[in-house]
Amino acid sequence: MQRRGLAVRMRFVADLSQCLFDFVIQLLPTAEEMAVKEDVRKLLERLIRTIEPDSRLLSFGSTANGFSLRNSDMDLCCLIDSKERLAATDLVTMLGDLLERETKFHVKPLPHARIPIVKLSLDPSPGLPLGIACDIGFENRLALENTRLLMCYAMIDPTRVRTMVLFLKVWSKRRKINSPYKGTLSSYGYVLLVIYFLVHVKNPPVLPNLQQMPPLRPITTEDTHLAGYNTWFFDDIELLRQRWHSDNTETVAELLIDFFRYYSRDFPYNTGVASIRTGLLKKELKGWQNDLSGGRYNDSRERNRLCIEDPFETDYNVARCVTKDGLYTIRGEFMRAARVLSTRPERAIIALAELCE
Ligand code: GTP
Ligand code: MG
């Protein structure tokens, strides 16, 4: 009887892996969508150069790191290579005016936001049936680097890493726990949770720690630091593929089930910080404790419910927007997911549909 139970479970897990691949593949952006987005980037770059001739417009976020879903937004970063450049606030205002005059975009310049950006959107068209949403920021070189780091992690084990990340992105959107404005976690935060789990929780690890691998040649602080932060990581993925291989043979379904179990039960939310650079850290050590006595509105208390260290900006909690209620909801969803995947052993496809309903 027990053996039969085990066989059913093994079959379920194998089916679930297949269902996860099939599910994710149909949600990938089409080649046409990618081409339209690249055309939009080029067009915007051309227009920005009429204001700042030495500028470049680069993609970051999911469009550039391999974790993009169909119709995901476009994150663009404008870099200006000359020393004499306009202040970001002026540039945002001028660019806003220009785009309004010259293009069909709906334009919303936010020159006085903490990070000045121009928000753009485009109505649906045959190539982009759901239109397009795009943010243009300025000089955000750290975001370009963290995008490259995530892309390298995705390339080491594309099948398992990308499938897990893409599934979790869809799941978190469908379950409505992917909105920093409403007190839950950004996509970037979920990706970091997955990488933390695959590097530091799984034993043997599925991924190496790219930020702690020895460099191939001597490097200086000048080579590695950006805005005062150490952004070095091992990025020769071709070489890494030849030299490093994971002893972890778990399937994507096994990893996903364990991911939900870990974050619903085992991660020490009250005291721990998930750091992909270092592993599990103590909130206390980072000055991020959320049990500081203080009034009801103690800001740090709300800010540090869930702590995820940025891989480069190590003094920055990527999950600072997650509120007490937000974390309660997120953990509730992790528990629900763990439960659905352990109590619906008949049909993987049904479990998956229930998970995302
Ligand atoms: P979707 O837009 O949902 O497809 O996901 P995404 O992968 O583009 O993630 P998101 O829009 O949350 O973030 C886009 C990029 O902005 C990330 O890849 C990071 O480079 C950067 N970013 C987002 N949030 C933060 C943050 O809190 N801190 C830092 N340093 N960078 C961030
Ligand atoms: Mg994005």
Side-chain angles (χ1 to χ4, degrees):
M1 192 62 195
Q2 228 176 13
R3 277 189 33 205
R4 189 168 170 273
L6 191 64
V8 169
R9 186 75 194 152
M10 282 170 66
R11 170 91 191 278
F12 171 79
V13 168
D15 285 353
L16 182 62
S17 281
Q18 191 57 51
C19 288
L20 284 166
F21 294 132
D22 297 345
F23 180 69
V24 160
I25 279 183
Q26 37 137 7
L27 297 169
L28 293 178
T30 58
E32 189 180 12
E33 179 182 329
M34 306 274 272
V36 173
K37 283 183 165 166
E38 178 53 14
D39 287 348
V40 168
R41 188 199 63 76
K42 283 190 191 140
L43 166 82
L44 293 171
E45 185 175 64
R46 229 177 25 243
L47 289 168
I48 292 181
R49 282 183 177 164
T50 63
I51 303 175
E52 274 288 8
D54 292 325
S55 58
R56 289 175 286 153
L57 195 60
L58 306 175
S59 260
F60 69 103
S62 60
T63 353
N65 65 20
F67 297 133
S68 169
L69 293 167
R70 204 164 282 189
N71 303 309
S72 62
D73 63 357
M74 257 175 110
D75 301 294
L76 295 174
C77 169
C78 176
L79 295 183
I80 300 160
D81 294 323
S82 79
K83 290 219 168 61
E84 282 179 22
R85 54 179 178 235
L86 288 164
T89 43
D90 296 333
L91 193 51
V92 163
T93 309
M94 288 171 74
L95 182 62
D97 291 346
L98 176 74
L99 294 175
E100 204 132 26
R101 265 196 329 268
E102 301 282 333
T103 68
K104 288 186 189 150
F105 283 103
H106 304 288
V107 184
K108 191 170 172 194
L110 300 173
H112 304 296
R114 190 176 64 87
I115 300 169
I117 55 169
V118 183
K119 283 181 121 23
L120 302 174
S121 59
L122 201 60
D123 290 331
S125 63
L128 284 168
L130 291 180
I132 205 169
C134 164
D135 289 351
I136 306 179
F138 298 86
E139 289 298 323
N140 194 355
R141 292 178 195 251
L142 284 165
L144 293 171
E145 285 306 299
N146 68 39
T147 295
R148 223 165 54 78
L149 176 67
L150 301 192
M151 183 189 74
C152 286
Y153 274 121
M155 283 165 66
I156 297 171
D157 189 337
T159 313
R160 291 189 290 181
V161 179
R162 282 186 75 210
T163 308
M164 268 185 92
V165 166
L166 291 171
F167 175 75
L168 284 162
K169 278 175 78 166
V170 182
W171 169 81
S172 62
K173 284 177 208 276
R174 295 224 179 136
R175 301 301 300 171
K176 302 198 167 45
I177 50 168
N178 176 229
S179 181
Y181 306 104
K182 293 186 188 153
T184 57
L185 189 61
S186 65
S187 294
Y188 180 57
Y190 283 104
V191 181
L192 294 178
L193 287 184
V194 175
I195 293 173
Y196 173 81
F197 175 77
L198 298 177
V199 174
H200 297 284
V201 178
K202 287 314 306 184
N203 189 10
V206 174
L207 292 172
N209 185 339
L210 293 179
Q211 293 176 276
Q212 303 291 353
M213 296 186 72
L216 292 171
R217 58 194 80 80
I219 43 172
T220 64
T221 310
E222 217 167 74
D223 298 331
T224 58
H225 280 62
L226 191 60
Y229 296 106
N230 182 1
T231 57
W232 188 85
F233 62 93
F234 193 97
D235 61 356
D236 191 336
I237 299 304
E238 273 318 305
L239 192 68
L240 194 75
R241 279 194 177 141
Q242 291 161 27
R243 293 200 186 160
W244 192 87
H245 104 104
S246 171
D247 290 327
N248 187 311
T249 55
E250 286 171 75
T251 61
V252 69
E254 287 169 306
L255 291 170
L256 187 71
I257 292 169
D258 205 26
F259 173 93
F260 284 132
R261 207 180 292 141
Y262 176 75
Y263 285 109
S264 50
R265 215 177 51 186
D266 300 330
F267 182 75
Y269 290 93
N270 283 334
T271 57
V273 176
S275 160
I276 68 166
R277 172 191 286 271
T278 320
L280 185 64
L281 294 173
K282 288 254 180 258
K283 284 187 186 180
E284 217 177 340
L285 271 180
K286 303 213 46 113
W288 287 356
Q289 56 273 50
N290 57 1
D291 57 354
L292 295 172
S293 55
R296 261 174 74 202
Y297 301 108
N298 183 331
D299 192 30
S300 123
R301 201 174 154 143
E302 269 308 307
R303 242 191 351 244
N304 296 324
R305 290 280 166 184
L306 171 62
C307 290
I308 305 172
E309 184 191 70
D310 187 82
F312 303 135
E313 287 172 85
T314 50
D315 49 2
Y316 180 81
N317 177 13
V318 171
R320 76 206 169 286
C321 294
V322 176
T323 57
K324 183 179 174 207
D325 287 352
L327 182 57
Y328 183 80
T329 313
I330 293 170
R331 284 188 73 177
E333 286 297 333
F334 285 144
M335 288 176 202
R336 175 182 176 275
R339 195 178 58 241
V340 168
L341 293 181
S342 61
T343 54
R344 291 273 178 281
E346 321 83 29
R347 299 276 307 278
I349 189 113
I350 294 174
L352 208 58
E354 187 175 343
L355 211 54
C356 292
E357 77 191 8

